[in-house]
Amino acid sequence: MISDLFSWFGDPAHWQGPDGIGTRLAQHLGYIGLALVIALVIALPLGLFVGHTGRGAVLLVSAGNAIRALPTLGLVTFLFLLFTESTTATVIGLVVLAVPPVLAGTYAGIQAAEHDVVDAAEGIGMTGPQTLWKVELPIALPLVLGGIRNAVLQLVATAAVAAYVGLGGLGRFLLDGLAILDYTEVVAGAILTALLAIVLDVVLAALQRALVPRGVRLAAHAASGKAVAAGGVA
């Protein structure tokens, strides 16, 4: 299998043309990018609002848990039968998958802001929106970006369902390989998907480190250290 994999990746035919790795990778990233942008437009404002005001928190958690329970392949198949349009069905299914982690990360991040800090901001005359954008959101950034990273990893793995409804992406290697019992192609598709997930996670981790203020990172490390120490004492 290992020698077959090296031969498969070494074959120039697998890197060129409409069925090549470059094209399939671009298609896969396209589905991920589109779904992520739509999910961010939906989940970020909603998470910020609920986290800041506290309104609808129970409904938010319940809805998030219910959405997580939906099987993405079944949802995409149902949407394809409903709309008879592969791209629409796939993107909606991926958006439904990406919304809960972004929503949960945003809500949890805003809620994690210490009440003393928020009270102090309000005490010096900051309005609600100013408190949210200048105090709560910077503190919440680690959890917000963590939710986005989680969503991206889930999207990378699940975007393969696009092939099931006739689209492209790395899932084509899995589906086409299974159709002709070419398990080398199947394993190659799985390896490409895993490598893409690793690369995107490393990029997002670097972006997270660049965007999160140093003071917030130090405070988060100090809080985790206290939690570990408390656990050891207990």
Side-chain angles (χ1 to χ4, degrees):
M1 176 63 75
I2 294 176
S3 61
D4 289 343
L5 280 172
F6 276 110
S7 299
W8 192 92
F9 280 110
D11 187 348
H14 293 146
W15 292 87
Q16 303 169 358
D19 297 327
I21 292 174
T23 301
R24 296 305 185 197
L25 181 60
Q27 292 169 341
H28 206 86
L29 287 171
Y31 304 142
I32 294 169
L34 180 58
L36 182 63
V37 169
I38 297 173
L40 291 177
V41 170
I42 296 171
L44 279 179
L46 185 58
L48 291 173
F49 173 78
V50 176
H52 179 67
T53 64
R55 299 174 185 173
V58 175
L59 179 61
L60 177 72
V61 173
S62 301
N65 291 334
I67 292 174
R68 289 174 188 271
L70 291 173
T72 306
L73 180 58
L75 178 62
V76 170
T77 303
F78 170 75
L79 292 171
F80 175 70
L81 295 175
L82 183 65
F83 295 110
T84 64
E85 213 291 312
S86 300
T87 304
T88 301
T90 300
V91 171
I92 293 176
L94 293 177
V95 169
V96 170
L97 175 73
V99 163
V102 177
L103 195 58
T106 305
Y107 168 73
I110 298 298
Q111 285 288 298
E114 294 185 10
H115 294 294
D116 292 342
V117 177
V118 176
D119 291 340
E122 294 173 349
I124 63 173
M126 281 190 178
T127 63
Q130 287 176 328
T131 303
L132 173 62
W133 292 107
K134 294 183 178 181
V135 178
E136 293 176 309
L137 185 56
I139 295 174
L141 267 182
L143 288 177
V144 173
L145 295 175
I148 295 174
R149 286 175 64 184
N150 188 11
V152 169
L153 291 177
Q154 293 187 41
L155 287 173
V156 171
T158 314
V161 301
Y164 188 76
V165 289
L167 296 179
L170 297 178
R172 284 255 59 103
F173 296 125
L174 303 175
L175 198 65
D176 294 345
L178 286 173
I180 59 175
L181 301 181
D182 185 350
Y183 297 111
T184 300
E185 183 175 354
V186 174
V187 175
I191 290 174
L192 289 169
T193 304
L195 288 175
L196 177 61
I198 293 171
V199 170
L200 288 179
D201 193 51
V202 170
V203 171
L204 290 174
L207 183 63
Q208 181 175 351
R209 183 173 181 81
L211 292 178
V212 175
R214 185 170 181 271
V216 175
R217 292 203 308 269
L218 293 175
H221 286 313
S224 63
K226 290 179 181 178
V228 171
V233 172

